[in-house]
């Protein structure tokens, strides 16, 4: 029996999709390359913004037309199961808090397959380390889907990590809704976990996933320590969401713009080349033109390597949905474009300063038009044309750039 899995949304969701895929293969199911060829389709959903939700609904309609058996997982399975049942009345719905029962649920419906178990990992693997978070952001529907923080035991994570390394995985992404609050419910913390993982010998790179600024501050010294290990990418994804303290208060983010910048300065004082990724939400209720200009000023001061801009989308059940001061759609669209223009300008300026340097890269993916993509020690993507095996290392001279990536040639 063949299955196909398609995941949407955050790295955490993709990591859980990989986990569910391994569980399908442990039952003897064979993975195939398309929904059309599959007997069972796992739709691993996201509903973080309205546009993504609409995409999920369209995909459900497509699968109904294909007359496939469908297992729906991810955030929609938890917070919008009624919308799923309307479109896929025969689907199995497995929310994240029921993943421990996934194999039993699948076996009860479909039995087991007879294919041989394949190597469950490629050259890159994703390891979720916790479920849920400790935040109460006023705009976030994900916290309803994922609940409060439940950290995985360090020994369990270590076992999975060691299995990845033994299987030849070269790049391991450690992920959660907020990695910085890992362990606060079980008497440990993220730096302690990363140090435990680094006790495993091998040639690999760890990428630490998204973390909120307010939870990063208490563990900052420990993070500076683990980032000094060359097996950890000098990269952090720290969403700021706005440059306005008034907007941040309305979002319930529990820090100020200056506190965020102080944290970035501390990181850069120790690691001047650290890559910082961040997120901005544009058009949050009550956002004024002055607030918008404060965000533009922060973007210029921050000079992030990667900046993701999302227009505010009201989500069912969130407090922000009931807030006054909704920003007109045309105003939000115009502000989003202005932010994007500044983002592209800053990112291109940052990247162009690297032209002429020679960097070591780990080759992690096949790019477009016959290129390979390598990641530098600080997780910057470099595209070049020499065909080399995934997971191998090489040196590349940076010869050009766009706003979102570097280009080069192998030395």
């Amino acid at each position: 029996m063949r299955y196909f899995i398609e995941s949407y949304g955050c790295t955490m969701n993709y990591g859980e999709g990989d986990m569910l895929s391994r569980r399908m293969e442990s039952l003897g199911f064979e993975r195939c390359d398309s929904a059309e060829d599959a007997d069972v389709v796992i739709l691993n959903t996201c509903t973080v913004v309205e546009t993504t939700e609409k995409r999920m609904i369209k995909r459900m309609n497509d699968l109904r037309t294909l007359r496939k058996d469908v297992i729906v997982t991810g955030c929609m399975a938890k917070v919008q199961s009624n919308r799923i049942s309307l479109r896929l009345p025969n689907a199995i719905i497995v929310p994240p808090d029921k993943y421990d029962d996934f194999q039993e649920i699948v076996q009860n419906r479909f039995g087991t397959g007879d294919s041989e178990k394949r190597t469950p990992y490629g050259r890159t693997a994703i390891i979720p380390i916790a479920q849920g978070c400790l935040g109460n952001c006023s705009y976030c529907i994900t916290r309803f889907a994922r609940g409060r923080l439940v950290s995985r035991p360090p020994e369990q994570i270590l076992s999975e990590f060691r299995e990845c390394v033994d299987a030849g995985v070269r790049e391991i992404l450690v992920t959660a809704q907020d990695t910085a609050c890992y362990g606060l419910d079980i008497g440990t913390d993220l730096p302690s976990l990363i140090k435990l993982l680094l006790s495993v010998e091998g040639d690999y790179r760890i990428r630490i996933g998204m973390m909120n600024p307010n939870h990063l501050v208490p563990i900052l010294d420990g993070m500076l320590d683990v980032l000094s290990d060359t097996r950890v990418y000098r990269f952090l994804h720290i969403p700021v969401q706005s440059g306005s303290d008034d907007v941040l208060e309305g979002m319930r983010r529990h820090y100020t713009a200056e506190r965020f910048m102080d944290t970035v300065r501390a990181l850069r004082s120790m690691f001047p080349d650290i890559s910082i990724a961040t997120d901005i939400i544009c058009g949050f209720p009550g956002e004024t033109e002055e607030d918008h200009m404060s965000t533009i000023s922060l973007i210029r001061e921050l000079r992030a390597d990667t900046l993701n801009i999302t227009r505010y989308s009201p989500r069912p059940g969130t407090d922000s949905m009931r807030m006054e001061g909704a920003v007109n759609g045309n105003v939000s669209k115009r502000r989003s474009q202005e932010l994007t223009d500044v983002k592209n300008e800053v990112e291109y300026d940052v990247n162009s300063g690297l032209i002429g340097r020679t960097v070591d890269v780990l080759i992690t993916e096949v790019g477009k038009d016959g290129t390979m993509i390598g990641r530098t020690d600080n997780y910057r993507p470099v595209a070049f044309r020499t065909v080399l095996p995934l997971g191998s290392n090489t040196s590349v001279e940076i010869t050009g750039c766009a706003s979102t990536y570097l280009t080069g040639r192998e030395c």
Side-chain angles (χ1 to χ4, degrees), residues 270-309:
M270 180 70 73
F271 307 107
D273 67 338
I274 189 170
S275 290
I276 301 293
T278 197
D279 303 338
I280 296 289
I281 295 174
C282 171
F284 187 79
E287 182 186 75
T288 66
E289 200 64 25
E290 183 179 359
D291 295 328
H292 172 60
M293 295 307 298
S294 294
T295 299
I296 288 179
S297 296
L298 183 140
I299 293 172
R300 293 191 182 282
E301 180 182 2
L302 175 60
R303 292 177 63 81
D305 300 88
T306 303
L307 174 61
N308 307 303
I309 298 169

Side-chain angles (χ1 to χ4, degrees), residues 65-342:
T65 300
L66 289 173
R67 299 183 181 276
K68 297 295 181 180
D69 285 316
V70 181
I71 304 170
V72 182
T73 59
C75 289
M76 281 194 78
K78 178 67 175 180
V79 295
Q80 293 168 308
S81 60
N82 59 324
R83 303 207 70 184
I84 298 168
S85 297
L86 283 172
R87 287 151 183 86
L88 296 170
N90 296 317
I92 299 175
I93 300 174
V94 187
D97 58 358
K98 298 295 183 183
Y99 284 169
D100 286 346
D101 303 324
F102 180 82
Q103 285 157 290
E104 180 181 353
I105 292 169
V106 171
Q107 189 169 350
N108 287 342
R109 171 73 74 91
F110 303 111
T112 57
D114 56 6
S115 67
E116 294 183 5
K117 186 176 180 182
R118 300 185 301 173
T119 301
Y121 300 107
R123 291 300 183 183
T124 296
I126 304 170
I127 300 181
I129 61 172
Q131 187 75 243
C133 71
L134 293 176
N136 65 335
C137 299
S138 61
Y139 55 84
C140 182
I141 192 174
T142 304
R143 66 190 181 96
F144 300 136
R146 299 290 180 166
R148 298 294 285 174
L149 177 69
V150 179
S151 300
R152 294 177 63 193
E155 297 78 13
Q156 187 182 96
I157 298 170
L158 176 63
S159 176
E160 187 173 345
F161 185 87
R162 183 176 283 116
E163 185 179 336
C164 289
V165 174
D166 290 345
V169 176
R170 296 295 314 281
E171 181 182 65
I172 302 170
L173 282 55
V174 172
T175 184
Q177 272 72 57
D178 178 3
T179 60
C181 66
Y182 170 80
L184 296 183
D185 57 327
I186 58 173
T188 185
D189 59 22
L190 180 63
S192 298
L193 174 66
I194 301 301
K195 289 176 183 177
L196 179 64
L197 301 183
L198 289 169
S199 69
V200 177
E201 294 186 2
D203 187 8
Y204 55 80
R205 295 292 181 274
I206 296 174
R207 196 204 78 176
I208 299 170
M210 185 179 74
M211 55 180 59
N212 285 325
N214 57 316
H215 289 127
L216 170 58
V217 170
I219 61 169
L220 184 58
D221 288 344
M223 289 305 302
L224 292 172
D225 189 21
V226 298
L227 286 168
S228 65
D229 192 299
T230 58
R231 293 171 294 174
V232 180
Y233 283 122
R234 293 188 301 278
F235 163 89
L236 289 179
H237 180 186
I238 320 170
V240 62
Q241 305 299 15
S242 177
S244 162
D245 289 345
D246 288 340
V247 173
L248 290 172
E249 183 176 0
M251 291 178 170
R252 293 205 296 259
R253 292 293 288 175
H254 307 295
Y255 55 83
T256 64
E258 187 60 23
R259 182 81 177 274
F260 168 83
M261 286 303 305
D262 284 344
T263 303
V264 172
R265 292 183 192 108
L267 289 163
R268 285 176 170 164
S269 67
M270 180 70 73
F271 307 107
D273 67 338
I274 189 170
S275 290
I276 301 293
T278 197
D279 303 338
I280 296 289
I281 295 174
C282 171
F284 187 79
E287 182 186 75
T288 66
E289 200 64 25
E290 183 179 359
D291 295 328
H292 172 60
M293 295 307 298
S294 294
T295 299
I296 288 179
S297 296
L298 183 140
I299 293 172
R300 293 191 182 282
E301 180 182 2
L302 175 60
R303 292 177 63 81
D305 300 88
T306 303
L307 174 61
N308 307 303
I309 298 169
T310 304
R311 289 170 63 185
Y312 170 75
S313 175
R315 307 308 294 131
T318 60
D319 291 341
S320 66
M321 194 173 184
R322 299 185 293 272
M323 287 182 176
E324 297 180 355
V327 177
N328 179 275
N330 289 331
V331 173
S332 180
K333 184 176 181 180
R334 186 257 303 167
R335 289 177 183 172
S336 177
Q337 186 57 58
E338 290 175 357
L339 292 172
T340 300
D341 290 343
V342 176

